[in-house]
Amino acid sequence: MKDKADLAQLPSSKTFVKDLGGIPDIHFTPTLNSSQRLSPPDPNFEKGAAMKEFATIERVLLALLLAAGISIPAFAQTTEVVTAGVDHPTKFIKGPGNTFLVSEAGTLEPNTGRVSVVDRTTGVRHTLISGLPSGVDNLGGPPDQDGTTAIDLDGRVLFIASGIGDGATNIGGSQYPTESPSSPLICSVMAVILPRHFESLNSEFVMTMKDQEDIAQRHWVRITNADGASVFIVLAVDIPDYRPEPRPNAPNAVRTSHPFGLELVGPDLYISDASYNELLKANLLSGSLTTVTAFPNRPNPLFGTIGGPFIEPVPDNVHRFGRKLLVPELTGFPFIAGQSDVQSVDLWTGERETVLTGLSSAMDVMPVAQRFRRDGYYVLEFSTNQLANAPGRLRRIDADGNSTVVVPVLPTPSSMVRDDRTGDIFVTNIFPGTITRVRF
């Protein structure tokens, strides 16, 4: 959408229910991420004195190892592809019960973005919503699809972000807006109210172009599937598609938006914009959209050999961890190994701090806390050397900065989520369109 107006006010939770009628128990509440949810009770907690004695011995042995400076790496036992046929998976989150939700950018056909439900045990995928905004652009090089880029779930309210799609094109190294994008909902976030037990529905919800046009006009849209269940969709956040960025030989050039991460905290939806290089905050009650922090460029150590004088940060995800937001930075061309990092942003003050350094094309980060050990992180790297088309990997970094490679080879990983019950990590791989299970 060009020349977008300011955000309209999104109704409060009670207004959501009142306006829709017959949709009870829908409300926005802060969503705890995987690092904050309480672990399920251990069924073997009190099985007798023998187990208690073993736990005491284990604690003493671990303490002695740590005191001696011996690290305890977390090695993956096995990896297996559990799901195939995923259309350009971008983000992976926990769903209700035994499920995950995955956002998919779509195919090379316009408006083929979708959100799917994946069974944690079997890996079986079924489509939840299809026909979401998408298009093909050349902003990152060869033509590639860009559509559904991020999702976040709060109860039965699903937030869906759409990228720039074919809303801009690269001509001579500069970006220019296109006159007729395939979707009126590029660079936006929709709020979708899902029916109860949506994870087990037998048929999908199909969004039409008429639906997209109505949503773009800020109307509520109801979509009914083949089984008679309904979803209700409204435009939650409308990010300006582009900003002027004139250059000496390109006075009409622009810089496009590219929302690529979502995290709901109370009434505020935080958005990592991988092209504006900013962390945005949309207040869903007032409709305001503000910049929390802008991530600065960094000097290119290879300038003079390859690339320009600076490297862009490219913030590509956002997760809440306590009173901070964790934001991995992919970093732009020439994609130098070791230049990527993870930033933290204080929810109260907006202050920014570097948490992890020395990474390569970081795509996702997951805080972990383990018994008898200090907190650490799992980090997902898209590639260890993008210019050489090297695969990505999964690393474990402890609180002291010690790094262990958990999975050395992953094909263009884009997002990860952990099953709290098993400890296994599931990873989406964007280009092969697969999901890998990492067993521990």
Side-chain angles (χ1 to χ4, degrees), residues 293-348:
T293 188
F295 300 96
N297 293 340
R298 63 200 66 188
N300 176 9
L302 299 182
F303 178 57
T305 302
I306 184 172
F310 299 103
I311 297 174
E312 295 196 19
V314 193
D316 54 9
N317 216 326
V318 56
H319 296 292
R320 184 182 182 180
F321 185 48
R323 57 171 283 179
K324 296 182 182 294
L325 295 169
L326 297 178
V327 181
E329 294 185 311
L330 178 77
T331 65
F333 186 83
F335 314 115
I336 302 172
Q339 286 289 309
S340 183
D341 59 31
V342 174
Q343 299 285 312
S344 72
V345 180
D346 193 288
L347 281 167
W348 296 353

Side-chain angles (χ1 to χ4, degrees), residues 99-164:
T99 66
F100 297 123
L101 299 181
V102 58
S103 59
E104 301 168 76
T107 69
L108 293 176
E109 294 295 322
N111 298 310
T112 53
R114 67 185 183 188
V115 174
S116 293
V117 178
V118 178
D119 187 284
R120 299 189 189 189
T121 303
T122 65
V124 172
R125 182 205 65 82
H126 69 269
T127 303
L128 178 63
I129 306 174
S130 63
L132 296 173
S134 74
V136 176
D137 67 42
N138 68 338
L139 300 181
D144 192 21
Q145 57 265 55
D146 182 50
T148 307
T149 55
I151 49 177
D152 194 26
L153 183 67
D154 183 53
R156 286 193 287 122
V157 180
L158 177 66
F159 294 93
I160 303 176
S162 299
I164 186 65

Side-chain angles (χ1 to χ4, degrees), residues 186-215:
I186 57 176
C187 302
S188 69
V189 182
M190 293 176 284
V192 182
I193 297 181
L194 299 164
R196 288 186 176 86
H197 310 300
F198 66 85
E199 70 278 9
S200 58
L201 295 175
N202 295 318
S203 59
E204 66 196 80
F205 300 97
V206 181
M207 181 178 290
T208 65
M209 179 52 64
K210 179 62 166 58
D211 294 331
Q212 290 194 26
E213 292 170 349
D214 289 343
I215 294 169

